[in-house]
Structure formats: structure tokens, C-alpha cells
Amino acid sequence: MTQFHIVFSQLVGMAVMMLVGIVCVKAHVLGQKAMDGICSFILKVGIPFIVFSNAVSGTTRADLAQSGVIMLLDIVMYVLLISMCTLIAKLMGLKAERGRMFCGTFVFGNVGFMGLPLLMALYPGKGALYFALLSLVDQCVMWTYGVWTCKKVRDVHSRTDKDPARGWLQRVRSVISPALVAVALSLVVVLIGVPIPEEVLAPIKAIGQTASPLSMVYLGGLVVLRDWTGVLRKPELYVGVVLKMLLFPMALFALFTTVPPMLGLTINPDIVHTMAICAGMPTMVALVMFAEKEHNQPQYAIGMVVANTIASLFTLTAVSFVVF
């Protein structure tokens, strides 16, 4: 039940922060312009700072060599998740933007806010390292494939049809984001072994840590400003919760437990457990920000985040019971 209490405490914290956002919007403390500013700050400052600070904090080339297998497993997880969600979207007849958004909301888990405290509690000695290594892969995939899932299909086609060369240039520009730059920079710092003074790293980390509470305040505000309850009537929500948040983590745990030994490989059980827990995380809040920025189905994204977060209290408990 330890995992349940950890997850439950995270959910209570998220609910309180969302309530603050709801009250601020209701009381006219925050309006649409302020919400847009919060979104911009989180995407361009908060997330890059927390990614960089966590990735370089105490991480060395030796750590990459010893625990770097978690990055390979993370890549395998994303390949399987993207394939599964794409297949589900096609089988359920989800067209265009809705199909893409469905994939985005179920591929990317809230590892940053819920996952990090959970990993730190489960593995005090290695939790931060695992999170840092996972972040290198997560951010690369999120700021490429994740951004793509939130774009309007007709806008992408119109640009590429008129000028193919310009279309490719636009795609390259769209993936060069502050967070992706932070990932690349942190990887260079770790590989070269450049020491970052604590006097510099501490304020960067402090600013980055504001991203999580601000994200929940932002989400709470959008709950008031957007009509998202229609998502509760979408059948793909419940199919996604069962397949991605419940069955997939258990299947991934079985895969990583049985296949590597058959190939003569030994993987730390803690890493396998970490991957199973991360695979079952609810939707990442950043997907809502992407949807808002692109003006593409923000209500759908908000509904998925709220519903999946509540469902995770039960699904993560079941996953923890099976894998531990």
C-alpha cells in the first residue's frame, strides 16, 4: 500500500493546486491573458530549467554507462505505445486531429509531477538519476512527436502542399524548442563532465520547480474557462485507460523481465519496476498547453488529463500490486 499512499498524496496535492487555479479564475485574479502568459512561461522557462537541472545534478558519464539502459528501454516503450495508440485510433475510427490528440494524451505520462516524487520515494538513492535519464528521452519525443499530435492536420498539409521545402523547414523549426535545447545542453554537459557550480544550479532548479505547481494552477483555470466534460462521453477515454494505464504497464513489465534474460542480458529490477510505473502514468499536463497554443481541441486535452489523473489512483495501485 506504500505506492498507493504516495500516489494518493500526489493526487491530493494536484487537486489543491487545481482548486487554486479555479478560485483565481472565478475571482478574476487570472484572466485569459494571464493564463496565456503562464503557459508561455512554463513551456519556455519552467520545463527547460527543471529538465536541465535534474539531468545534470550529480549525473556523470559513469552513471550514463551503468544506468543508461533505462534510456533504451524508454525508447522501446515509446515505440510500443505509439504503435498501440495509433492502432487503437484507427480501429475506433478516430479521424484527423482527434485521432492524433488521442495518441498524444495516452502516449505521454505525467512523469514530471507524479513520477518524480514517486521514484524518489521508491528509490531514494537512484530515483533522481532514473528521472534525469528518462527526461532525456521523454523531452526529445514530447517536443517532436508530442507537438505533432497537437497540430491541426489541415494547417500542416496546406504548408507542405504549397511549398514542400518550406514545409520541411517549418517542421524542423517546430521541434527546436527551449526544452529540447535544454536536453541537448544537459547531455553535452554530462558527457564532457563540465561541473555546474551549486550557486548557479540552485536558482535554476528553484525556477524549474515552479513549473509543476503552475501547470496545475493553469489546468485548474482552464477547467473553468473551457467546456471539457464532453470527453467523459467519449468511448476512447475508457478504452485508453484500460489498455494503456492498466494492461500495457503489466505487459511491459513482463516483456522487460523475460526477454532480456533470454538474450543473455541482465537488467536491474529497479529499472524494470521504474519503467512499468512510468508507463502507467496519467496524461502529461503539457499536452493541454500544446493544444491551447495550437487552438486545437483544448477541451478534449483537458478532459483527458482530468479523467486520466483520477483513474490513475486505481490503475497505478493495481499496477504496483502486480509488479512489486
Side-chain angles (χ1 to χ4, degrees), residues 47-48 55 102 110 139 253 275:
I47 292 177
F102 167 81
N110 195 359
Q139 295 299 317
F253 175 75
M275 293 308 307

Side-chain angles (χ1 to χ4, degrees), residues 138-261:
D138 292 346
Q139 295 299 317
C140 287
V141 180
M142 185 182 75
W143 287 90
T144 51
Y145 176 77
V147 171
W148 175 82
T149 63
C150 295
K151 289 186 176 295
K152 294 182 179 179
V153 175
R154 59 182 179 274
D155 291 346
V156 175
H157 289 338
S158 63
R159 286 196 301 266
T160 56
D161 290 343
K162 292 179 180 179
D163 187 349
R166 185 184 177 189
W168 280 105
L169 181 61
Q170 292 289 343
R171 291 178 183 178
V172 172
R173 286 180 177 176
S174 68
V175 302
I176 299 177
S177 63
L180 201 57
V181 171
V183 171
L185 183 60
S186 61
L187 189 58
V188 170
V189 168
V190 172
L191 290 175
I192 296 178
V194 178
I196 305 295
E198 184 60 28
E199 293 80 5
V200 175
L201 192 59
I204 292 177
K205 183 178 293 187
I207 294 174
Q209 288 173 341
T210 64
S212 290
L214 281 178
S215 295
M216 301 316 300
V217 171
Y218 175 79
L219 181 59
L222 290 183
V223 166
V224 177
L225 295 174
R226 303 288 184 269
D227 181 14
W228 57 271
T229 55
V231 172
L232 300 177
R233 297 189 293 272
K234 304 293 185 184
E236 66 264 25
L237 166 64
Y238 304 98
V239 172
V241 167
V242 173
L243 292 181
K244 187 270 179 180
M245 296 174 61
L246 188 61
L247 299 182
F248 181 82
M250 297 179 187
L252 192 73
F253 175 75
L255 177 69
F256 289 160
T257 302
T258 58
V259 173

Side-chain angles (χ1 to χ4, degrees), residues 270-282:
D270 290 347
I271 291 179
V272 177
H273 290 146
T274 296
M275 293 308 307
I277 294 298
C278 290
M281 288 288 161

